[in-house]
Amino acid sequence: STLVVALDPSAHELLAARGFHSFFDERMPTMAAAAAQHTSAAFMDIMKLRLLYLAEVLQRGYHALLTDADAVFAPTSPFAVFPTGAHLVVACDSTVVPANWRQAPGMVMAGFFYARAGPRPIILLKEVLDYQLRHPEQHDQQSFNQILSELLVADLSVSVMHPRLFPNGFQYFVKRTVQREGGEPLVVQNNWMMGADNKRHRF
């Protein structure tokens, strides 16, 4: 019952070959390898387009998990652990994961969060996109956190993903907190490292 919206043909072909229900729009712009830097204009455009896709999915009445390509999923589905009362379930990118997102403004991952269908998450995405239009020089994570911290969406319920079930790259690869405690994460982020080759090596 899960549909994956792929943002490039290679991902779409791989997902389909592995038995996933995958969708890819051939009109979707792609990036040359040389332009695939997180500071490039092409990269920023892709980040905006995926928020537009997400808003469309939410508007059609479906819940959605937005994920970067450098997240590793366990065989167990992560959806069951997301609180049913939260409009938005976010992962934290800080070295010490707080009890709630208000304790760590600016450290919510813009590339990994779960949004439930409804007007409030859609309004949040619209505010983020409007802010990016006014501040094109800013990274998408900065824009996302700026809007979230300003509470521009009234009554938006936000929950933080459990740091042992959804560890970021610092918690998992550097501190190895999950491994030392004998935990079994649902999703591991391969962040806190720059460069595709470096990430492949760590994978």
Side-chain angles (χ1 to χ4, degrees):
S1 61
T2 299
L3 172 68
V4 181
V5 179
L7 298 189
D8 63 72
S10 298
H12 171 63
E13 291 168 8
L14 177 64
L15 289 162
R18 298 293 175 88
F20 289 92
H21 300 291
S22 179
F23 169 80
F24 173 68
D25 188 341
E26 293 183 355
R27 297 169 297 177
M28 186 74 176
T30 56
M31 288 185 293
Q37 300 293 327
H38 75 279
T39 55
S40 71
F43 180 88
M44 300 294 276
D45 285 344
I46 295 292
M47 296 303 99
K48 294 170 187 172
L49 283 167
R50 70 180 184 175
L51 290 186
L52 290 171
Y53 260 125
L54 180 58
E56 175 74 13
V57 170
L58 298 178
Q59 189 171 343
R60 289 173 179 263
Y62 297 99
H63 310 318
L65 174 67
L66 184 145
T67 176
D68 282 334
D70 60 356
V72 183
F73 285 72
T76 306
S77 171
F79 297 105
V81 302
F82 296 146
T84 56
H87 299 120
L88 197 70
V89 188
V90 298
C92 196
D93 206 16
S94 62
T95 54
V96 178
V97 179
N100 61 69
W101 68 272
R102 293 171 191 263
Q103 295 178 5
M107 294 306 293
V108 168
M109 291 184 199
F112 189 81
F113 62 88
Y114 182 70
R116 295 190 180 277
R120 289 178 181 85
I122 294 173
I123 293 170
L124 172 71
L125 297 180
K126 180 184 181 301
E127 294 283 359
V128 172
L129 288 165
D130 286 348
Y131 185 85
Q132 287 179 318
L133 186 63
R134 298 193 305 273
H135 303 276
E137 76 288 350
Q138 233 176 248
H139 190 268
D140 67 304
Q141 180 144 317
Q142 292 174 303
S143 300
F144 187 82
N145 278 275
Q146 182 70 34
I147 297 303
L148 197 57
S149 64
E150 289 177 0
L151 289 175
L152 295 184
V153 184
D155 300 323
L156 179 73
S157 173
V158 183
S159 177
V160 175
M161 295 179 190
H162 195 289
R164 299 300 180 262
L165 296 178
F166 301 90
N168 59 41
F170 182 83
Q171 292 290 331
Y172 189 83
F173 293 104
V174 180
K175 291 187 71 176
R176 300 182 66 82
T177 308
V178 179
Q179 297 91 316
R180 287 189 284 106
E181 295 181 358
E184 295 185 5
L186 295 174
V187 180
V188 174
Q189 305 291 331
N190 193 7
N191 58 2
W192 281 84
M193 176 170 281
M194 299 295 292
D197 289 339
N198 292 331
K199 291 193 176 193
R200 289 190 187 97
H201 176 74
R202 190 161 72 172
F203 273 141

